[in-house]
Amino acid sequence: MNFVGHEIEDFKVNAYQDGKTVEVTKKDVLGKWSIFFFYPADFSFVCPTELEALQDKYEDFKQANAEIYSVSEDTQFVHKAWAEASDKIGKIKYHMLADPAGKLARMFDVLDEDAGQAYRGVFIVDPDGKIQSYTINNMGIGRSADEILRTLQAAQFVRKHGDRVCPANWKPGQDSIKPSLDLVGKL
């Protein structure tokens, strides 16, 4: 199934964030850009490297009016225990969503039912709750926080400048393209 342009469904989940347990709903993610970052499990191997890389870029995401929501099939209590046990995870300030029943993982179609874990999915959701970009990796393939941020920035640029598109490796401040018949065959 293609998720681009699809609006996310209503949801309500518990989360761990910076020493507290909180509740996160669809209403909470509307009005800003959101990164839903699925990973297989707490207390694992590739996952802490990814979550730490996102934390290292968290201020850049916030400056881009985006919030990060990491998601695994663990509870908020396991997230808390992991944060207390790991220096890498302990410094995370963004929401760590608890999805032990797999509702979010099923909604985004990233749940490996047999393993009871989520594949490594990244979904960039616009302020209206519509998915603008997504990637899904197998469980052993880590992702790049820099590329997620770059893709977010390109999605924001295209939303703001609907008559322009972003070429490969585009970054803010670089030239974009205004599609026209004059460019056909010249790029």
Side-chain angles (χ1 to χ4, degrees):
M1 177 178 174
N2 180 3
F3 287 103
V4 172
H6 287 256
E7 186 173 343
I8 61 172
E9 299 170 18
D10 285 331
F11 70 89
K12 178 171 70 170
V13 295
N14 291 316
Y16 176 76
Q17 184 188 26
D18 200 20
K20 301 177 188 152
T21 55
V22 296
E23 191 175 83
V24 177
T25 66
K26 177 182 176 180
K27 182 179 175 186
D28 295 321
V29 306
L30 297 177
K32 62 183 166 291
W33 289 82
S34 301
I35 310 298
F36 286 88
F37 188 86
F38 289 87
Y39 63 96
D42 291 3
F43 292 99
S44 59
F45 311 102
V46 175
C47 303
T49 66
E50 293 183 311
L51 273 61
E52 180 184 33
L54 281 174
Q55 179 57 44
D56 290 346
K57 294 284 183 185
Y58 187 43
E59 286 303 316
D60 295 330
F61 281 94
K62 286 173 47 178
Q63 287 178 6
N65 191 33
E67 185 58 56
I68 297 171
Y69 300 94
S70 66
V71 188
S72 77
E73 303 318 291
D74 300 288
T75 67
Q76 69 272 26
F77 307 115
V78 176
H79 292 331
K80 179 183 185 296
W82 195 23
E84 291 172 352
S86 167
D87 291 339
K88 291 177 189 273
I89 303 306
K91 67 181 184 178
I92 290 174
K93 301 295 182 195
Y94 54 80
H95 294 85
M96 298 178 74
L97 303 186
D99 190 32
K103 290 180 181 178
L104 287 175
R106 283 186 187 91
M107 180 172 82
F108 286 95
D109 199 21
V110 294
L111 184 63
D112 179 335
E113 296 281 352
D114 292 335
Q117 296 178 328
Y119 290 104
R120 295 186 191 282
V122 176
F123 295 81
I124 298 175
V125 179
D126 72 19
D128 300 320
K130 293 184 179 176
I131 298 169
Q132 295 301 316
S133 174
Y134 70 97
T135 60
I136 302 171
N137 292 1
N138 208 343
M139 293 184 195
I141 304 168
R143 295 152 293 176
S144 165
D146 289 325
E147 178 57 17
I148 295 166
L149 179 60
R150 189 203 68 79
T151 304
L152 166 69
Q153 292 166 332
Q156 291 173 326
F157 181 89
V158 169
R159 180 179 168 110
K160 184 176 180 181
H161 307 279
D163 65 336
R164 305 197 70 79
V165 296
C166 299
N169 301 315
W170 178 91
K171 291 184 180 176
Q174 293 180 337
D175 290 340
S176 60
I177 298 169
K178 185 172 184 174
S180 74
L181 286 176
D182 296 339
L183 293 178
V184 174
K186 295 181 181 174
L187 295 177

